[in-house]
């Protein structure tokens, strides 16, 4: 029995599904299309094989996810990862937080920001702009969302332009989606050696 | 269709090409178009499985209300015919005495309001109520999508300078 991880980490765990993944050999054409299975891409994660049970939504979700996180312009990729991590902390998605905190570390070439966020959450001692992004993402992730006009002003005062704030809204919201799948449909477990 | 006619944008704020946000929104028009397609897949899929289009719409209204997004709730309500299924949209209705409905509603509310507390036992409870694994994933995608859309809506409204 593998140990479930409850504490935030930048070491990406394994993900153990609570719902049975489909068997790729039995996948329908629609499922294979949504999974983007090609002769050169036969490796599909268990997470995606679980989501293939709703192939119609999976097919739309994958390009939308990539567009929000990787499209050109607007807020930087590292700051989108910061936003994603803020949402994942509120929703306690340890797996999502590990993936996106470690991507932030790679992009920003700095591990101290995530160390501080994992230790102190929204109160983490960060620069003004990072702190404004983190706090907005965390407030937007509450139900109902707790963002106000004052929070919008904090973003403006920290130097964010409208196109950057739009990307912050989209990336934090996207993790309101991703966390609700990853955290509820499976468990993060320790990687065995 | 322009980005200003997009459901998520339209439900959040009445904007047009003269608004100061127009350039930012048009720069992400592909994302809003994909959001519309995802909405159709989550709310009105060709193969709805064990979750009917009406049940999905009613659950979406419920989640929009739990998020305080009444504009979005009204949007989901428009195609919904009156009937028993509309009770699901009322956040005070718990689905009892129907065990299937009660399990669907309990899970939808929990995942919407308190994602961090969801545990393995909550997925087992759906299985115990006779909900198939395919339908568990369908319900999860619906819940996850509407919670995304509600946050985009809230954020856009604030960005547009509205309350």
């Amino acid at each position: 029995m593998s140990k479930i991880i409850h504490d935030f980490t930048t070491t990406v765990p394994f993900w153990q599904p609570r719902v049975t993944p489909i068997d790729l050999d039995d996948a329908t054409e629609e499922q294979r299309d949504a999974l983007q299975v090609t002769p050169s891409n036969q490796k599909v994660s268990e997470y995606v094989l679980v989501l293939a049970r709703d192939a119609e939504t999976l097919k739309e979700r994958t390009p939308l996810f990539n567009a929000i996180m990787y499209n050109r312009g607007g807020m930087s990729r590292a700051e989108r990862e910061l936003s994603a991590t803020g949402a994942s902390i509120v929703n306690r998605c340890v797996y999502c937080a590990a993936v996106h905190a470690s991507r932030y570390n790679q992009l920003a070439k700095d591990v101290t920001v995530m160390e501080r966020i994992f230790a102190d959450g929204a109160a983490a001692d960060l620069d003004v702009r990072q702190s404004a992004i983190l706090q907005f993402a965390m407030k937007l992730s509450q139900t109902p969302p707790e963002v106000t006009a004052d929070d919008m002003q904090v973003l403006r005062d920290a130097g964010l332009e409208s196109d950057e704030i739009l990307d912050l809204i989209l990336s934090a919201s996207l993790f309101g989606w991703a966390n609700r799948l990853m955290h509820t449909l499976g468990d993060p477990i320790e990687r065995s050696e | 269709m322009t980005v200003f006619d997009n459901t998520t944008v339209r439900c959040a704020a009445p904007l047009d090409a003269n608004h100061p946000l127009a350039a930012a929104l048009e720069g992400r028009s592909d994302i809003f178009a994909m959001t519309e397609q995802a909405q159709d897949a989550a709310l009105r899929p060709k193969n709805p499985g064990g979750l009917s289009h009406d049940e999905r719409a009613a659950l979406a209204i419920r989640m929009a209300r739990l998020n305080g997004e009444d504009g979005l709730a009204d949007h989901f309500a428009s195609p919904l015919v009156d009937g028993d299924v509309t009770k699901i949209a009322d956040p005070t209705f718990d689905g009892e005495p129907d065990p299937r409905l009660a399990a669907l509603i309990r899970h939808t509310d929990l995942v919407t309001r308190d994602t961090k507390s969801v545990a393995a036992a909550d997925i087992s409870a759906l299985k115990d109520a006779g909900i198939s694994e395919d339908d568990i994933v369908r319900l999860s995608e619906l819940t996850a999508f509407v919670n995304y859309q509600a946050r985009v809506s809230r954020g856009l409204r604030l960005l547009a300078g509205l309350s």
Side-chain angles (χ1 to χ4, degrees):
Chain A
M1 189 69 186
S2 304
K3 199 169 158 222
I4 295 171
I5 301 172
H6 295 285
D7 293 328
F8 291 119
T9 170
T10 52
T11 304
V12 178
F14 276 121
W15 187 81
Q16 180 172 273
R18 294 169 179 167
V19 171
T20 318
I22 66 160
D23 186 336
L24 201 47
D25 293 336
D26 300 333
T28 64
E29 198 166 316
E30 187 187 23
Q31 286 171 328
R32 294 179 74 85
D33 181 40
L35 290 164
Q36 297 173 320
V37 179
T38 61
S40 62
N41 178 24
Q42 295 285 338
K43 193 166 158 43
V44 182
S45 71
E46 293 221 301
Y47 174 59
V48 178
L49 289 170
V50 168
L51 299 186
R53 289 180 174 277
D54 181 355
E56 284 179 65
T57 311
L58 175 61
K59 186 176 166 56
E60 303 301 337
R61 197 194 80 102
T62 308
L64 175 55
F65 185 101
N66 291 334
I68 290 176
M69 295 307 286
Y70 309 127
N71 267 9
R72 285 170 178 278
M75 197 167 81
S76 73
R77 279 191 55 187
E79 287 175 335
R80 294 183 213 181
E81 300 293 352
L82 174 60
S83 167
T85 304
S88 302
I89 287 172
V90 170
N91 293 320
R92 201 124 198 121
C93 185
V94 169
Y95 188 96
C96 304
V99 169
H100 295 281
S102 60
R103 282 196 193 149
Y104 176 89
N105 287 352
Q106 289 163 7
L107 291 163
K109 298 183 173 53
D110 173 18
V111 298
T112 59
V113 168
M114 287 299 158
E115 284 171 358
R116 288 175 185 176
I117 292 171
F118 285 174
D120 299 320
D125 182 18
L126 307 175
D127 76 32
V128 170
R129 185 176 164 107
Q130 290 163 343
S131 181
I133 290 170
L134 177 69
Q135 294 200 27
F136 188 89
M138 292 183 76
K139 286 182 176 180
L140 189 62
S141 301
Q142 305 296 328
T143 303
E146 292 176 353
V147 286
T148 65
D150 289 345
D151 298 309
M152 195 57 65
Q153 193 57 49
V154 169
L155 293 173
R156 301 266 188 214
D157 292 346
L160 279 87
E161 302 290 344
S162 290
D163 61 336
E164 294 177 306
I165 298 174
L166 179 58
D167 284 348
L168 167 57
I169 291 165
L170 289 169
S171 52
S173 299
L174 179 66
F175 279 78
W177 183 345
N179 296 161
R180 281 178 174 81
L181 297 174
M182 189 70 98
H183 179 65
T184 68
L185 294 173
D187 287 297
I189 58 168
E190 278 180 8
R191 285 178 177 273
S192 48
E193 291 308 315
Chain B
M1 190 165 102
T2 74
V3 71
F4 310 105
D5 299 322
N6 183 278
T7 300
T8 312
V9 176
R10 196 166 37 77
C11 289
L15 304 175
D16 60 31
N18 298 318
H19 194 278
L21 277 185
L25 286 175
E26 283 168 345
R28 293 293 182 237
S29 59
D30 58 337
I31 289 172
F32 287 103
M34 285 188 259
T35 299
E36 193 90 7
Q37 287 169 231
Q39 175 189 271
D40 292 343
L43 271 292
R44 307 191 64 78
K46 289 189 287 293
N47 173 14
L51 279 178
S52 73
H53 287 181
D54 279 359
E55 282 178 329
R56 288 165 189 256
L59 287 168
I61 297 167
R62 184 181 183 98
M63 290 185 273
R65 287 178 176 160
L66 290 173
N67 277 294
E69 289 302 302
D70 293 340
L72 204 53
D74 290 347
H75 162 70
F76 292 129
S78 59
L80 201 59
V81 272
D82 279 340
D84 274 0
V85 75
T86 57
K87 285 190 298 189
I88 298 171
D90 175 358
T92 63
F93 175 63
D94 66 3
E96 297 290 353
D98 179 340
R100 171 184 168 274
L101 203 51
L104 290 175
I105 287 174
R106 179 190 169 279
H107 195 70
T108 301
D109 285 4
L110 178 66
V111 174
T112 296
R113 284 200 284 224
D114 192 13
T115 313
K116 67 178 182 302
S117 299
V118 177
D122 298 306
I123 299 298
S124 303
L126 292 172
K127 293 179 185 173
D128 293 346
I131 295 161
S132 73
E133 292 197 299
D134 283 355
D135 287 345
I136 290 172
V137 176
R138 291 184 178 110
L139 176 68
S140 301
E141 285 279 18
L142 173 68
T143 305
F145 171 77
V146 176
N147 276 286
Y148 154 78
Q149 192 179 28
R151 283 168 179 77
V152 175
S153 176
R154 170 63 61 99
L156 275 182
R157 214 168 50 245
L158 275 178
L159 184 55
L162 306 169
S163 59

